[in-house]
């Protein structure tokens, strides 16, 4: 059957190597991953924290998304996916010129070779332009940065955060990305990280925990009581995160192929299983299901399946979901209370448990359950398989563990050096007077202002039980900070 004219026409905008389906899916997947951050995590963070930190938490995510993009196209992309400079780092350069962006996408140094130098697999060359790949990989870098922010919400100096974002992206994220995805030494050794269990989740969890240590804790009152200000809106953010994960793992094969389909299905199976297990454990041990707990279970399931989403069978995705809903639950609910280190470090949203523990668990389970036939669909190293399938699978598990140790070590060291350097110029933690007040002191704005500063409450303009009495004159107390609306003073 003759193909429609639209699929056969060659023009300057449609070169012969362009596959419109792959390009459409890659741009869609990139947009889905972007939506996980903007607005997904912006909404989730703004809703899951105390009311006084809603604006600050949302802004940290918003700023990171914008700052990472500019740093990414200036130097970051080609430090992570450019030509090799060191075994763990590529040569940085801008990704801005049209000569670079309209050429066929290519992941340099991604070809694989046998020990004797013979080529084992070809360099990855997707059927769309570099511009699609640059943007897709940016969304991964951005969400890693925003996940890290979850550890330091509610007390990190916003100016320190603004300095930290570009430095951490350049000196930490690009190293993990090149080492595992861009043709670095872990890639050539055959370590499996399908879509970021190590590059994104283990690194953000470890770096976040390290940052929380150096920044210091929230106020004692905030640590003891930190209720979400809007549970329903938190669920909306969590829903965007879950649905966006289809682009997260479905876009990882760099093509709209059958492996993308397997990855999307496994991602959702594991997330649902983990959510149900976490909720069941809450009911068994605490007598009632927690909505926040359900969101955490969803998150750990999504994280756990990520390093093996397109490489494990769907029954294994259920097993991984069961472990993702229980192992991080134990680390958060049981081990956390018994560990003096975990107690000392104030990890605001428990990113260590939901991302570092779940990401490490997923990497190890991928080393167990990676199925040989699925591995052949996409992995560069022939005969890759998990330990469950015998052969060289036992050594694959060793590779997964060694790679995890490298990612953990690099993130601890790099994050520490970056923060100690910033601390020489900018305090890492807000002063206590700002911590007492929150958004109004830091931004001069509040999340929920019913009427503005200095505006008197007019009971005739509001319906309700209290407008029958003229004894109450309600007035907003003037704020000592900029333009914010702070508490209510009632004069009887």
């Amino acid at each position: 059957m003759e193909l429609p004219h639209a699929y056969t026409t060659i023009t300057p905008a449609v070169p012969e190597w362009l596959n419109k389906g792959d390009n459409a899916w890659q741009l869609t997947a990139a947009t889905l991953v972007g939506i996980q951050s903007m607005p997904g995590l912006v909404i989730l963070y703004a809703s899951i924290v105390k009311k006084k930190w809603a604006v600050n938490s949302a802004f940290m995510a918003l700023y990171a998304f914008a700052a990472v993009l500019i740093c990414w196209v200036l130097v970051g992309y080609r430090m992570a996916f450019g030509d090799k400079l060191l075994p763990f780092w590529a040569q940085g350069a801008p990704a801005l010129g049209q000569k670079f962006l309209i050429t066929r996408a290519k992941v340099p140094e991604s070809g694989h070779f046998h020990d004797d130098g013979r080529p084992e697999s070809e360099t990855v060359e997707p059927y769309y332009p570099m511009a699609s790949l640059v943007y897709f990989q940016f969304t991964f870098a951005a969400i890693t940065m925003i996940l890290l922010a979850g550890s330091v919400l509610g007390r990190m100096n916003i100016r320190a955060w603004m300095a930290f974002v570009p430095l951490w992206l350049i000196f930490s994220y690009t190293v993990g990305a090149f080492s595992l995805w861009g043709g670095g030494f872990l890639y050539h050794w055959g370590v499996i990280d399908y879509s970021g269990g190590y590059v994104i989740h283990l690194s953000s969890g470890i770096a976040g925990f390290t940052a929380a240590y150096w920044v210091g804790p929230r106020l004692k009152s905030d640590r003891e009581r930190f209720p979400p200000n809007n549970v329903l809106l938190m669920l909306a953010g969590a829903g965007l995160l879950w649905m966006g994960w289809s682009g997260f793992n479905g876009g990882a094969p760099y093509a709209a192929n059958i492996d993308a389909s397997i990855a999307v299905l496994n991602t959702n199976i594991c997330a649902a299983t983990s959510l149900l297990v976490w909720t069941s454990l809450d009911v068994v041990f605490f007598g009632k299901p927690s909505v926040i707990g359900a969101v955490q279970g969803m998150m750990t399931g999504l994280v756990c399946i990520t390093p093996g989403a397109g490489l494990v069978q769907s029954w294994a995705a259920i097993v991984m979901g069961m472990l993702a809903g229980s192992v991080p639950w134990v680390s958060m609910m049981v081990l956390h209370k018994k560990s003096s280190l975990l107690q000392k470090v104030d990890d605001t949203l428990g990113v260590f448990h939901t991302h570092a523990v779940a990401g490490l668990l997923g990497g190890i389970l991928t080393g167990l359950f990676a199925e040989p036939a699925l591995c052949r669909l996409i992995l560069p190293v022939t005969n890759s398989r998990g330990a469950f399938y015998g052969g060289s699978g036992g050594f694959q598990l060793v590779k997964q563990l060694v790679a995890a140790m490298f990612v953990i070590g690099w993130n601890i060291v790099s994050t520490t050096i970056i923060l100690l350097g910033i601390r020489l110029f900018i305090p890492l933690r807000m002063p206590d007077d700002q911590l007492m007040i929150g958004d109004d002191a830091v931004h001069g704005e509040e999340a929920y202002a019913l009427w503005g500063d200095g505006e008197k409450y007019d009971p005739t303009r509001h319906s309700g039980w209290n407008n029958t009495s003229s004894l109450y004159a309600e007035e907003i107390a003037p704020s000592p900070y900029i333009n914010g609306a702070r508490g209510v003073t009632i004069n009887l």
Side-chain angles (χ1 to χ4, degrees):
M1 185 178 70
E2 187 175 346
L3 289 172
H5 183 69
Y7 292 94
T8 58
T9 302
I10 304 299
T11 70
V14 186
E16 60 181 6
W17 47 260
L18 180 71
N19 183 300
K20 292 181 180 179
D22 280 355
N23 196 34
W25 169 238
Q26 208 64 38
L27 290 172
T28 301
T31 303
L32 285 169
V33 181
I35 285 173
Q36 290 183 286
S37 297
M38 278 293 299
L41 284 170
V42 170
I43 293 173
L44 179 65
Y45 283 3
S47 308
I48 203 171
V49 297
K50 261 184 171 179
K51 173 186 172 292
K52 71 174 184 176
W53 291 117
V55 172
N56 183 256
S57 300
F59 179 76
M60 287 178 69
L62 174 65
Y63 167 81
F65 193 80
V68 168
L69 176 55
I70 300 306
C71 294
W72 192 246
V73 295
L74 286 175
V75 70
Y77 174 77
R78 294 176 77 173
M79 290 183 76
F81 295 94
D83 295 316
K84 181 179 177 181
L85 175 66
L86 298 169
F88 54 85
W89 231 347
Q91 301 173 29
L96 289 168
Q98 80 273 15
K99 288 184 178 179
F100 176 76
L101 294 174
I102 68 174
T103 57
R104 182 174 175 179
K106 181 179 180 181
V107 183
E109 303 293 333
S110 60
H112 207 271
F113 302 90
H114 291 286
D115 292 338
D116 59 7
R118 291 180 297 109
E120 184 174 6
S121 59
E122 298 297 325
T123 298
V124 177
E125 291 191 27
Y127 295 99
Y128 43 77
M130 285 297 302
S132 297
L133 188 58
V134 169
Y135 184 71
F136 177 72
Q137 288 297 345
F138 147 69
T139 60
F140 280 78
I143 198 171
T144 308
M145 199 78 240
I146 296 171
L147 291 172
L148 190 163
S151 293
V152 292
L153 297 181
R155 84 282 198 176
M156 187 170 183
N157 185 330
I158 193 64
R159 289 178 299 138
W161 174 248
M162 292 170 75
F164 177 75
V165 168
L167 292 172
W168 191 85
L169 173 77
I170 291 169
F171 293 105
S172 189
Y173 180 80
T174 57
V175 169
F178 180 75
S179 298
L180 282 154
W181 288 347
F185 75 107
L186 294 176
Y187 166 89
H188 284 290
W189 196 33
V191 176
I192 299 174
D193 188 7
Y194 179 84
S195 191
Y198 286 176
V199 174
I200 295 170
H201 301 294
L202 183 58
S203 65
S204 64
I206 294 298
F209 188 79
T210 306
Y213 173 82
W214 289 111
V215 172
R218 289 166 289 171
L219 291 178
K220 185 172 183 292
S221 58
D222 281 349
R223 290 195 73 178
E224 291 173 348
R225 179 165 171 75
F226 205 73
N229 69 81
N230 195 323
V231 172
L232 296 182
L233 208 55
M234 176 195 74
L235 286 174
L240 289 168
L241 199 67
W242 186 345
M243 293 301 99
W245 223 285
S246 291
F248 199 103
N249 290 344
Y254 295 146
N257 57 25
I258 59 175
D259 204 53
S261 301
I262 292 290
V264 170
L265 179 61
N266 284 344
T267 296
N268 286 274
I269 288 174
C270 188
T273 304
S274 181
L275 185 154
L276 296 176
V277 170
W278 192 294
T279 299
S280 299
L281 289 171
D282 278 350
V283 171
V284 169
F285 288 94
F286 303 122
K288 60 183 70 173
S290 163
V291 177
I292 296 177
V295 170
Q296 289 169 326
M298 173 206 83
M299 189 93 66
T300 55
L302 292 166
V303 170
C304 185
I305 193 63
T306 292
L311 306 173
V312 302
Q313 297 186 73
S314 292
W315 64 262
I318 292 179
V319 175
M320 292 173 76
M322 293 171 67
L323 291 169
S326 54
V327 174
W329 186 93
V330 170
S331 77
M332 181 178 285
M333 302 300 179
V334 180
L335 298 181
H336 186 94
K337 296 174 182 177
K338 295 182 178 181
S339 167
S340 58
L341 176 61
L342 293 177
Q343 287 280 308
K344 180 181 179 182
V345 178
D346 182 17
D347 181 359
T348 308
L349 299 186
V351 178
F352 174 80
H353 302 286
T354 55
H355 292 273
V357 173
L360 176 61
L361 176 67
I364 293 170
L365 292 175
T366 298
L368 290 174
F369 294 128
E371 202 276 333
L374 293 174
C375 289
R376 283 195 293 273
L377 295 177
I378 191 170
L379 293 184
V381 180
T382 54
N383 297 319
S384 293
R385 63 187 62 225
F388 187 81
Y389 296 94
S392 60
F395 189 50
Q396 185 66 53
L397 186 59
V398 173
K399 293 179 182 179
Q400 300 299 107
L401 290 168
V402 172
M405 293 304 104
F406 172 77
V407 172
I408 291 170
W410 185 270
N411 278 279
I412 291 173
V413 173
S414 62
T415 305
T416 296
I417 293 173
I418 291 167
L419 286 171
L420 292 181
I422 292 172
R423 193 169 71 174
L424 296 174
F425 305 96
I426 307 170
L428 298 180
R429 186 173 179 268
M430 295 180 201
D432 283 354
D433 60 336
Q434 288 189 358
L435 292 176
M436 289 291 293
I437 295 168
D439 290 337
D440 198 23
V442 181
H443 300 281
E445 299 163 319
E446 285 195 339
Y448 307 106
L450 299 182
W451 54 87
D453 258 352
E455 180 184 348
K456 291 187 177 182
Y457 177 73
D458 182 357
T460 63
R461 295 171 59 189
H462 299 79
S463 61
W465 63 272
N466 60 347
N467 69 358
T468 60
S469 172
S470 60
L471 297 176
Y472 295 88
E474 197 165 38
E475 188 178 47
I476 295 295
S479 169
Y481 299 95
I482 309 169
N483 295 327
R486 282 202 52 77
V488 174
T489 301
I490 300 178
N491 298 317
L492 297 179

